[in-house]
Amino acid sequence: MIKIFLGYGRAEKQMHHTLGTLKKIVEGLGKTLGRNCEIVLHDISNPDSSIIAIANGHVTGRNIGSPATDFLLDLAAAPNENDMVINYFTKASNGKQLKSSTFLLRDEKGEVIGALCINIDISQLLGVKDFVDDLLCIDETENNAMENFPNNTTEFLQMMIDKSLSIVNKPVEFQTKEDKLKIVAYLNKCRVFKIKGAVDFVAKTLKVSRYTIYNYLDEITADETT
């Protein structure tokens, strides 16, 4: 709860002093938060001209002497003491979309005397959000997989062998000849054996001789031509 305590017997003078202090805060907050953030100070004793200080009024098109909003008056008249409504969305008469917060100000009797309001123009940010959401859109109907980006030949060979091993999903010690033929066939289809040293690399991984790899390749080629 935000309250302003007024001096006894000099309420009006003290209220003027307090609001004068808040006017400086309004100006400072406006400069600190930037031109897309409107800071408004209301004195709701005059609802038809309640704004007594405003920074970046171009956000809603208002200025000093503009009236209070219906939302503010409803909030001030509510029987409960809900003095803060934070981060709600609204739309200004000029079409700008706003993220807003309202803080009621009370005297020592608990009576609402004013409000400090913050309205942030998020119109452009919503446009950026839509753009980013579109870029990040994933087609759920497609198969999505982690893509690896090797930096050199060794990383490439290891990446492809790891991928081929996942096809049979067995430890090398338990792989049959048919399993290893599947692995070699996959690597051959991906043109891995065009790389110098690939045969030895694969042979070491599969724990067979390089001549066995050549035999596998001959067998695969023979099957493809029949």
Side-chain angles (χ1 to χ4, degrees), residues 7-225:
Y8 298 104
R10 299 175 60 186
E12 293 184 359
K13 184 175 181 181
Q14 185 63 30
M15 182 185 296
H16 175 77
H17 172 74
T18 301
L19 294 178
T21 300
L22 291 176
K23 284 182 180 181
K24 296 178 181 178
I25 294 175
V26 168
E27 180 182 0
L29 285 175
K31 291 180 177 179
T32 300
L33 299 177
R35 66 183 313 275
N36 289 321
C37 185
E38 178 187 76
I39 313 296
V40 188
L41 178 63
H42 291 272
D43 176 358
I44 64 170
S45 63
N46 297 302
D48 61 330
S49 58
S50 67
I51 295 181
I52 60 174
I54 187 168
N56 301 319
H58 57 271
V59 170
T60 60
R62 297 178 297 170
N63 49 46
I64 292 176
S66 292
T69 66
D70 53 348
F71 176 81
L72 172 56
L73 295 178
D74 287 343
L75 185 63
N80 57 41
E81 290 193 347
N82 182 21
D83 286 350
M84 294 186 295
V85 182
I86 301 173
N87 295 335
Y88 59 92
F89 290 95
T90 187
K91 192 173 184 178
S93 58
N94 56 19
K96 293 179 179 179
Q97 298 186 73
L98 310 174
K99 176 184 176 182
S100 302
S101 293
T102 296
F103 306 88
L104 295 182
L105 307 171
R106 298 178 183 270
D107 63 14
E108 82 287 349
K109 296 179 181 179
E111 299 293 329
V112 177
I113 60 172
L116 183 67
C117 302
I118 301 173
N119 301 302
I120 305 173
D121 180 7
I122 59 172
S123 302
Q124 293 181 344
L125 291 176
L126 289 175
V128 173
K129 179 180 180 297
D130 289 342
F131 175 73
V132 172
D133 287 344
D134 186 55
L135 285 178
L136 295 177
C137 179
I138 302 296
D139 189 345
E140 297 297 338
T141 64
E142 298 293 331
N143 292 322
N144 301 313
M146 180 65 71
E147 184 175 9
N148 298 295
F149 300 90
N151 293 316
N152 52 55
T153 301
T154 301
E155 288 185 6
F156 173 77
L157 288 173
Q158 189 62 58
M159 176 186 71
M160 296 307 297
I161 289 176
D162 289 343
K163 184 88 178 235
S164 68
L165 291 173
S166 68
I167 295 174
V168 298
N169 195 29
K170 292 180 184 177
V172 174
E173 292 78 8
F174 298 103
Q175 290 173 5
T176 64
K177 177 183 177 182
E178 288 71 23
D179 293 330
K180 293 180 180 181
L181 278 170
K182 287 181 181 179
I183 292 171
V184 172
Y186 172 79
L187 295 173
N188 186 54
K189 185 178 179 180
C190 294
R191 303 181 181 183
V192 169
F193 293 110
K194 292 183 178 293
I195 301 172
K196 183 179 180 180
V199 171
D200 291 331
F201 201 97
V202 174
K204 182 178 180 180
T205 300
L206 298 183
K207 297 182 179 179
V208 297
S209 70
R210 65 195 311 268
Y211 301 105
T212 301
I213 299 297
Y214 284 124
N215 289 334
Y216 287 164
L217 289 171
D218 289 340
E219 190 172 339
I220 292 166
T221 303
D223 290 340
E224 291 175 349
T225 57

